[in-house]
Amino acid sequence: MPHLVEDTPTAGHSHLVGSPPLLSRLIDRIIRFISVTAHLSWLVLIVVIISNVVLRYVLADSSVALEEWQWHLYGYGFMVGIAYCLVEDQHVRVDVLSEHWSPRRRAWVDLLAMFILVMPFAFVIARDSIPFVEFSHQLNEVSRSPGGLSHRWIIKAVIPFSMALVFLAALSRALLMIKIILESPSVQKGTPNV
């Protein structure tokens, strides 16, 4: 599958030669495939916004459902896009310090960030949002606004779904960092280059 972001060397890991571990490549492919739907949601969002503007300012009418679709599409694109950014190493980071670090040290920092921050965060949010979705489904929750959308549980299900993708993306990234750490030469034999 082609990359949807311009190919650039991964931040701080331009020295990477060879391929990532098999599991990491598999996870990345799955996330890239799912992310295509997130990218397409932005195009649909543009059509919905233009339709809403034309409906309101040209035809002097409005649609609550279209307004809610805007927020739902934005939420889906953003939430699923987080995992894509992590897989493509296009997420926001502060490189003021890390640009002077060795590749091995950068890999250690990324590995610790994945295990200590990203994976626990994604796991807790995914786990705790499942009852939220189930409750919405049991209630057959609809919009409170007249003319709004029904089946609110579908958009709420994006929360655990996207956090599961973020967890998998962090796992993939961690596996890649482990490979870098294991394959990076040490400064002195027996001394880790951290």
Side-chain angles (χ1 to χ4, degrees), residues 14 16 33 69 82 119 124 133 136 145 165 179 193:
S14 56
L16 286 176
F33 179 77
W69 263 112
I82 294 170
M119 291 171 77
V124 168
V133 176
S136 178
S145 303
L165 291 178
K179 180 183 180 193
N193 181 15

Side-chain angles (χ1 to χ4, degrees), residues 92-146:
V92 177
R93 69 170 78 221
V94 179
D95 289 330
V96 174
L97 297 175
S98 66
E99 67 185 16
H100 303 293
W101 293 345
S102 68
R104 187 177 175 98
R105 178 177 283 180
R106 278 181 259 153
W108 270 110
V109 170
D110 272 4
L111 180 65
L112 292 173
M114 295 304 121
F115 279 126
I116 295 172
L117 300 173
V118 179
M119 291 171 77
F121 173 80
F123 175 78
V124 168
I125 298 296
R127 181 195 67 201
D128 290 351
S129 62
I130 291 172
F132 176 64
V133 176
E134 288 174 343
F135 185 68
S136 178
H137 184 261
Q138 289 170 355
L139 286 178
N140 197 19
E141 185 180 6
V142 297
S143 173
R144 292 180 183 174
S145 303

